[in-house]
């Protein structure tokens, strides 16, 4: 983690530092030395702990046998630190249980029997070698050691076992380093299970051949993954699902069409199809989507989500003709990015973004200026504008604003003046940018305007919970916050609001979005005037006509009978517990299951609509998996094999992610008021090449103005010139109404393929 300056004493000029962490312990302690992160001083009694913040919390809470008790700590501080220590202990215990369950899930066939045997494993000798409890203390692991050394008597103690473990780690590390395996590839459940399985087998294990990996084992794992996805079929039948599609060009210039589905349990990869021999017309895309609808069940598919390309707009008309009960919606992530792009192109915002960009380019364009910046910011980086700069510009401005004092101190220091490049025209412009008070004023205003839209972007781009029921309401809230940022002066905000309204029109204000807004009691119960809004009610009626197409009785029941009960809060809607819908932490679809039993027609419609996603981000995001598999070194994979590899990897990751979400009990819905509880990743315009926000335990920062967390993005570049050197494999600029195809760039180096340090 990075370290930031807290305050400076005037006497000895001793820097009192704190870790940039949300741990409660840092409220009562500071680092004594920036280079020693374990040496912490208590703010109450100035006692210095040598064992980090954990020992300091024991000191403040007056618990533990190894910590000296603080006699000056308050009762509030004791309670907070004690709770933090207990929570940490509970998490460690839960992690231990999970690790044990993970290992117990591994089963390898065992040979032989006998009550005294621990396990019987294979061996390179003709007869299997039986291991007992004492053997773990007496056998050497090094396969290169001599026979005499292997039978050398050893001490029976725990240190020997630790040493043997260390020897195994060395062989694993050697494989990782030799073949450039990303470090994060070893931090997952599958790797742990692999190690457990090999350990259960024992010495003499023969690894699978390349042919096995390419054929039989691949087919078996593909079938296993497919069977696991069948568990979601019941949820699709109950809550409905969405079909998403997108196109991509791989490194061999093959055009691939990607199809995914999404339900309450998350997103799933369906299939990909090579389409190099055909044009991506509306008819061709519709045939693929229609086939996916048939496979998933026409009665279970509620909507199709695509981007706004012209061929997809044509697909909308074909879908309406053949399947009038299925909705077609625009990707909310792409549309909101178009809003950010339009706002960013307004002259007053473009000016400040360009100045921030020019400063960042200058700093990162020279090694000495970069070293100087890192010195004053204690090693913290500036988020640099990526290829798609709509949301990354917001992150860049926030990163610069956070380091305002450090950057000012940097440009007036003698160290800055001694750098030859700083005396150039660009260097003087960089100095003028940082020292100009209007620049910081403009940065704050730009952030105040961008922030509400970025919050909505994070909402719709996440995978924690369905966002359809919150999209329209949060966009209204975002517009209100933008107006407030300008003091409700219409002459100042009208051009920004005009861009937002223009992008929303026909995309994010469809009957489906309006009906979801009306049926979400979080909004309609808090503001009864929604039922009197003509635009919303007309949209709701149109949505009912589509959902219950050609069923006049059901339409009449939903609109003329049951909607009135919902509006008047009759029956179960009047119950005291139903008011939980005003709480942030709730699921609107689950709410309707509980309290909508008196209105079955409206209940069915509400559950299905409020369980929908509002964007096709998962489909876009899938290209990261394609690029990780189909690298420059593996560009001879057949389309069929590539499809199976992506199917296995993407779906396995999504299922693992859903399991973690359930186990951690992450809040049901993310509203803009709590956007600091981000849904995992922020994908700028849906492109994997843009400014993805990865959480890193070692380099986590917090943007003070928003609470949005991000870490340094290794592949986001700040200069047009540098982009040519390190373009990501898939760079796509979004323009409205155009049929776009992906660009593919050959790599001189595979620097962007594997991010080893996150």
């Amino acid at each position: 983690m990075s370290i930031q300056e807290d305050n400076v004493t005037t006497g000895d000029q001793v820097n009192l530092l704190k870790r940039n962490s949300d741990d409660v312990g840092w409220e009562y302690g500071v680092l004594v030395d920036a280079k020693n992160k374990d040496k912490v001083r208590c703010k109450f009694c100035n006692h210095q702990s040598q064992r980090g913040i954990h020992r300091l919390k024991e000191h403040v809470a007056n618990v533990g046998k190894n910590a000296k008790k603080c006699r000056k700590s308050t009762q509030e501080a004791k309670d907070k630190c004690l709770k933090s220590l207990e929570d940490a202990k509970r998490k460690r215990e839960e992690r231990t249980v999970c690790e044990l369950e993970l290992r117990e899930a591994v089963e390898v066939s065992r040979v032989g029997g006998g009550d005294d045997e621990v396990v019987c494993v294979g061996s390179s000798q003709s007869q299997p070698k039986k291991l007992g409890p004492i053997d773990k203390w007496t056998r050497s692991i090094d396969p290169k050691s001599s026979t005499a050394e292997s039978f050398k008597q050893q001490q029976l103690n725990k240190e020997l076992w630790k040493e043997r473990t260390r020897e195994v780690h060395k062989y694993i590390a050697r494989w990782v380093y030799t073949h450039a395996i990303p470090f994060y590839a070893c931090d997952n459940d599958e790797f742990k299970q692999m190690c457990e399985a090999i350990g259960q087998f024992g010495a003499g294990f023969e690894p699978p051949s390349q042919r096995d990996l390419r054929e039989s084992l691949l087919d078996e794992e593909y079938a296993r993954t497919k069977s696991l996805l069948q568990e979601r079929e019941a949820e699709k039948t109950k809550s409905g699902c969405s079909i998403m599609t997108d196109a991509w060009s791989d490194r061999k210039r093959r055009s691939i069409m990607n199809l995914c589905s999404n339900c309450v349990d998350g997103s799933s990869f369906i299939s990909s199809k090579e389409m190099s021999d055909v044009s991506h017309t509306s008819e061709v895309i519709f045939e693929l989507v229609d086939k996916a609808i048939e496979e998933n069940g026409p009665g279970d598919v509620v909507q199709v989500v695509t981007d706004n390309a012209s061929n997809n707009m044509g697909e909308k008309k074909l879908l309406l003709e053949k399947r009038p009960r299925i909705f077609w919606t625009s990707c909310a992530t792409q549309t909101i990015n178009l809003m950010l792009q339009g706002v960013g192109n307004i002259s007053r915002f473009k000016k400040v973004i360009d100045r921030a960009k020019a400063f960042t380019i200058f700093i990162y364009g020279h090694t000495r200026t970069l070293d100087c910046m890192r010195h004053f910011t204690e090693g913290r980086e500036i988020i640099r504008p990526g290829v798609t700069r709509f949301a990354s510009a917001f992150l860049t401005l926030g990163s610069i604003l956070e380091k305002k004092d450090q950057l000012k101190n940097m440009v007036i220091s003698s160290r800055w003046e001694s750098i030859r490049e700083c005396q150039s025209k660009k260097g003087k412009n960089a100095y003028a940018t940082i020292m100009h008070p209007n620049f910081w004023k403009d940065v704050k205003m730009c952030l105040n305007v961008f922030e509400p839209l970025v919050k909505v972007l994070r909402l719709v781009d996440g995978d924690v919970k369905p966002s359809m029921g919150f999209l329209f309401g949060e966009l209204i809230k975002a517009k209100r916050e933008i107006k407030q940022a300008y003091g409700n002066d219409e002459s100042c905000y009208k051009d920004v609001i005009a861009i937002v309204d223009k992008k929303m029109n026909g995309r994010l204000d469809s009957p489906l979005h309006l009906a979801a807004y009306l049926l979400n009691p979080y909004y309609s119960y808090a503001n009864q005037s929604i039922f009197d809004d003509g635009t919303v009610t007309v949209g709701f009626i149109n949505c009912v006509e589509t959902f219950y197409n050609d069923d006049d009785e059901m339409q009449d029941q939903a609109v003329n009978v049951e909607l009135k009960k919902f509006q008047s809060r009759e029956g179960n809607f009047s119950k005291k517990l139903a008011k939980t819908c005003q709480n942030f932490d709730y699921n609107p679809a689950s709410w309707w299951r509980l309290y909508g039993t008196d209105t079955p027609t409206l209940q069915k419609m509400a559950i299905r609509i409020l369980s929908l996603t509002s964007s096709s981000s998962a489909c876009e995001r899938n290209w990261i998996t394609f690029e990780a598999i189909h690298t420059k070194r593996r560009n001879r994979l057949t389309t069929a094999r590539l499809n199976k590899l992506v199917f296995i990897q993407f779906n396995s990751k999504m299922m693992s992610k859903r399991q973690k979400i359930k186990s951690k009990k992450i809040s049901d819905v993310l509203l803009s008021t709590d956007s600091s509880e981000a849904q995992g990743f922020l994908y700028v315009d849906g492109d994997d090449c843009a400014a993805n926000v990865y959480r890193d335990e070692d380099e986590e920062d917090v943007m003070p103005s928003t609470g949005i967390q991000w870490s340094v993005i290794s592949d986001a570049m700040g200069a047009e010139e540098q982009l040519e050197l390190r373009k990501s494999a898939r760079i796509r600029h979004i323009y409205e109404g155009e049929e776009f195809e992906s660009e593919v760039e050959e790599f001189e180096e595979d620097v962007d393929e594997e991010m080893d340090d996150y």
Side-chain angles (χ1 to χ4, degrees):
M1 286 200 183
S2 59
I3 304 169
Q4 66 180 15
E5 184 175 352
D6 189 27
N7 61 331
V8 180
T9 60
T10 56
D12 299 329
Q13 296 296 318
V14 178
N15 290 326
L16 298 180
L17 305 168
K18 73 172 183 178
R19 297 283 292 278
N20 190 13
S21 168
D22 58 358
D23 194 302
V24 70
W26 293 110
E27 295 181 16
Y28 313 113
V30 291
L31 285 179
V32 178
D33 184 1
K35 296 181 180 179
N36 185 357
K37 299 180 180 180
D38 291 329
K39 195 172 183 180
V40 186
R41 176 183 298 151
C42 174
K43 290 182 178 180
F44 293 112
C45 63
N46 290 327
H47 170 73
Q48 291 188 12
S49 171
Q50 304 292 333
R51 299 294 181 181
I53 198 64
H54 179 81
R55 185 62 54 82
L56 177 77
K57 287 188 288 186
E58 290 182 333
H59 164 73
V60 174
N62 292 339
V63 296
K65 299 179 180 179
N66 300 319
K68 180 181 178 181
K69 293 179 173 56
C70 179
R71 303 302 180 186
K72 298 182 180 181
S73 59
T74 64
Q75 187 61 42
E76 180 185 5
K78 291 179 182 179
D79 294 340
K80 283 186 176 181
C81 289
L82 182 61
K83 183 179 184 301
S84 177
L85 291 169
E86 291 174 348
D87 290 345
K89 181 180 179 181
R90 177 179 51 79
K91 289 179 181 179
R92 288 195 300 270
E93 291 173 350
E94 291 176 353
R95 188 160 53 244
T96 301
V97 172
C98 290
E99 290 283 344
L100 183 60
E101 292 176 350
L102 195 68
R103 292 179 178 276
E104 289 178 346
V106 177
E107 295 182 5
V108 177
S109 300
R110 300 183 178 185
V111 183
D115 297 336
D116 297 333
E117 297 173 6
V118 172
V119 62
C120 185
V121 298
S123 173
S124 57
Q125 302 173 357
S126 58
Q127 297 294 327
K129 171 64 180 177
K130 297 179 180 179
L131 299 182
I134 202 68
D135 285 298
K136 72 177 184 180
W137 309 113
T138 57
R139 284 187 58 81
S140 174
I141 284 179
D142 190 353
K144 295 185 178 179
S145 63
S146 64
T147 305
E149 290 175 338
S150 65
F151 288 99
K152 184 178 179 180
Q153 185 177 3
Q154 299 174 2
Q155 288 185 324
L156 304 181
N157 54 47
K158 293 182 179 180
E159 292 302 320
L160 177 59
W161 190 244
K162 290 181 180 179
E163 181 181 344
R164 288 162 59 86
T165 302
R166 188 68 178 174
E167 291 297 321
V168 176
H169 287 176
K170 290 180 181 178
Y171 285 98
I172 295 175
R174 189 175 303 164
W175 169 71
V176 169
Y177 303 149
T178 303
H179 298 282
I181 306 299
F183 297 153
Y184 63 84
C186 299
D187 186 20
N188 56 74
D189 294 347
E190 290 75 21
F191 180 77
K192 295 174 184 177
Q193 288 183 325
M194 178 191 74
C195 293
E196 177 66 18
I198 294 174
Q200 288 186 19
F201 186 92
F205 170 74
E206 294 184 5
S209 66
Q210 183 177 164
R211 180 178 180 180
D212 292 336
L213 291 171
R214 290 165 59 91
E215 297 178 2
S216 59
L217 291 175
L218 178 61
D219 292 338
E220 290 174 12
E221 186 62 20
Y222 176 79
R224 188 190 76 89
T225 305
K226 202 167 185 178
S227 65
L228 292 175
L229 291 175
Q230 294 300 315
E231 298 176 2
R232 295 186 174 181
E233 294 305 314
E235 188 60 46
K236 288 183 179 180
T237 302
K238 183 170 60 175
S239 303
C241 68
S242 305
I243 300 295
M244 300 172 288
T245 181
D246 189 31
W248 179 70
S249 295
D250 67 11
R251 296 180 179 278
K252 295 183 72 176
R253 306 297 294 177
R254 295 178 297 190
S255 179
I256 298 176
M257 182 65 69
N258 195 11
L259 288 167
C260 293
S261 68
N262 177 276
C263 67
V264 174
D265 281 344
S267 300
S268 305
F269 175 72
I270 300 176
S271 65
S272 60
K273 179 179 177 62
E274 184 176 355
M275 302 180 63
S276 304
D277 58 338
V278 295
S279 177
H280 294 187
T281 61
S282 302
E283 292 76 14
V284 171
I285 298 175
F286 172 73
E287 288 178 6
L288 290 175
V289 173
D290 191 58
K291 182 179 179 182
I293 293 174
E294 284 292 339
E295 292 175 354
N296 282 269
D300 297 337
V301 178
V302 181
Q303 70 167 345
V304 174
V305 189
T306 67
D307 54 45
N308 298 310
S310 57
N311 50 359
N312 289 326
M313 299 298 287
E315 175 197 347
K316 174 183 178 181
K317 298 178 181 178
L318 297 173
L319 180 69
L320 182 62
E321 293 175 2
K322 184 174 181 179
R323 302 189 184 275
R325 289 192 176 188
I326 296 179
F327 298 90
W328 181 94
T329 56
S330 298
C331 175
T333 300
Q334 185 208 15
T335 305
I336 294 172
N337 271 290
L338 290 172
M339 294 178 187
L340 291 169
Q341 180 191 26
V343 174
N345 287 333
I346 297 176
S347 58
R348 63 180 182 276
F349 297 125
K350 189 175 186 302
K351 182 179 179 181
V352 67
I353 292 173
D354 288 344
R355 291 183 69 180
K357 175 186 171 184
F359 171 78
T360 308
I361 292 172
F362 176 74
I363 292 294
Y364 281 86
H366 309 282
T367 56
R368 295 185 65 192
T369 56
L370 182 57
D371 180 69
C372 182
M373 186 272 293
R374 287 171 175 165
H375 170 76
F376 280 90
T377 61
E378 297 287 352
R380 302 177 72 183
E381 303 285 345
I382 296 176
I383 299 290
R384 287 164 285 163
V387 179
T388 48
R389 295 176 292 277
F390 315 144
S392 62
F394 170 80
L395 298 177
T396 301
L397 293 176
S399 179
I400 291 176
L401 180 62
E402 184 189 16
K403 302 171 181 64
K404 175 182 175 181
D405 294 336
Q406 293 97 321
L407 295 176
K408 280 189 173 182
N409 292 334
M410 176 186 72
V411 297
I412 63 175
S413 67
S414 57
R415 182 168 182 169
W416 175 271
E417 293 177 354
S418 65
I419 299 175
R420 178 172 57 85
E421 290 82 3
C422 294
Q423 307 308 317
S424 65
K425 182 179 179 180
K426 291 183 179 180
K428 293 178 180 179
N429 289 338
Y431 173 88
T433 295
I434 297 301
M435 296 306 296
H436 202 297
N438 286 341
F439 170 74
W440 298 107
K441 182 180 178 181
D442 293 340
V443 167
K444 289 181 181 179
M445 178 54 68
C446 195
L447 288 173
N448 288 337
V449 173
F450 271 69
E451 180 182 351
L453 294 175
V454 173
K455 285 180 179 179
V456 183
L457 176 63
R458 301 196 73 183
L459 169 67
V460 300
D461 200 43
D463 291 320
V464 175
K465 283 295 178 182
S467 58
M468 179 61 75
F470 293 88
L471 173 57
F472 191 82
E474 290 303 289
L475 281 172
I476 292 176
K477 185 175 183 179
K479 291 196 291 184
R480 184 168 62 248
E481 291 178 354
I482 292 173
K483 293 176 182 178
Q484 292 172 353
Y486 282 107
N488 292 315
D489 186 348
E490 184 178 358
S491 62
C492 296
Y493 68 69
K494 64 179 182 180
D495 51 350
V496 177
I497 299 300
I499 291 173
V500 175
D501 288 338
K502 180 181 178 181
K503 304 304 179 185
M504 282 184 63
N505 185 30
R507 297 187 181 96
L508 304 184
D509 59 355
S510 70
L512 185 63
H513 295 102
L514 295 172
Y517 174 57
L518 181 89
L519 292 173
N520 189 345
Y522 181 83
Y523 300 108
S524 54
Y525 269 32
N527 182 13
Q528 283 285 317
S529 64
I530 291 176
F531 294 97
D532 299 324
D533 188 324
T535 302
V536 176
T537 54
V538 169
F540 170 76
I541 294 172
N542 291 336
C543 182
V544 172
E545 291 175 346
T546 300
F547 192 88
Y548 290 114
N549 185 263
D550 293 334
D551 194 333
D552 296 338
E553 183 179 348
M554 298 289 274
Q555 293 176 16
D556 177 70
Q557 183 71 12
V559 175
N560 298 325
V561 180
E562 297 183 358
L563 179 64
K564 191 176 297 183
K565 291 182 180 181
F566 173 59
Q567 180 181 355
S568 304
R569 305 186 190 184
E570 299 176 7
N572 291 336
F573 295 129
S574 64
K575 292 184 179 295
K576 182 179 179 180
L577 290 175
K579 295 181 180 179
T580 56
C581 64
Q582 299 305 307
N583 189 350
F584 162 76
D585 189 12
Y586 99 111
N587 187 315
S590 298
W591 186 90
W592 271 93
R593 286 194 181 96
L594 284 174
Y595 306 108
T597 52
D598 292 340
T599 56
T601 306
L602 197 61
Q603 181 192 43
K604 177 183 178 181
M605 176 179 167
I607 290 173
R608 292 209 158 201
I609 290 177
L610 296 173
S611 298
L612 295 175
T613 182
S614 59
S615 73
S616 59
S617 296
C619 202
E620 298 268 3
R621 201 167 295 157
N622 196 24
W623 300 128
I624 300 177
T625 307
F626 270 94
E627 290 181 356
I629 292 174
H630 197 258
T631 64
K632 185 177 181 179
R633 299 171 185 172
R634 302 182 69 187
N635 61 3
R636 300 179 71 179
L637 285 170
T638 62
T639 305
R641 189 168 291 131
L642 178 64
N643 181 57
K644 289 183 178 180
L645 288 169
V646 172
F647 184 90
I648 293 169
Q649 186 178 126
F650 182 78
N651 287 326
S652 296
K653 287 183 177 180
M654 293 303 296
M655 286 187 286
S656 176
K657 181 179 179 181
R658 295 303 304 178
Q659 188 63 35
K660 290 178 180 178
I661 290 173
K662 291 179 180 179
S663 63
K664 292 181 180 179
K665 298 181 181 179
I666 295 176
S667 10
D668 285 336
V669 182
L670 175 65
L671 299 181
S672 63
T673 53
D674 290 274
S675 63
S676 59
E677 302 296 329
Q679 299 190 48
F681 297 89
L682 168 62
Y683 286 80
V684 180
D685 86 314
D687 270 323
D688 50 80
C689 64
N692 300 332
V693 175
Y694 299 97
R695 294 191 177 186
D696 193 311
E697 294 181 356
D698 296 325
E699 290 186 304
E700 184 181 85
D701 291 315
V702 177
M703 190 177 302
S705 61
T706 64
I708 292 178
Q709 297 183 354
W710 37 262
S711 62
V712 178
I713 303 163
S714 62
D715 62 347
M717 301 300 292
E720 303 288 354
E721 310 90 285
Q722 294 169 339
L723 290 173
E724 293 301 321
L725 299 177
R726 292 181 60 188
K727 280 188 177 179
S728 191
R730 180 175 179 267
I731 299 174
R732 191 184 77 181
H733 298 278
I734 297 180
Y735 298 96
E736 295 183 80
E738 292 186 12
E739 178 179 353
F740 44 75
E741 295 188 2
S742 305
E743 296 289 336
V744 178
E745 298 290 339
E746 289 293 336
F747 279 71
E748 292 296 326
E749 300 180 56
D750 290 331
V751 293
D752 288 327
E753 285 298 320
E754 297 171 350
M755 294 180 290
D756 289 353
D757 295 324
Y758 82 89

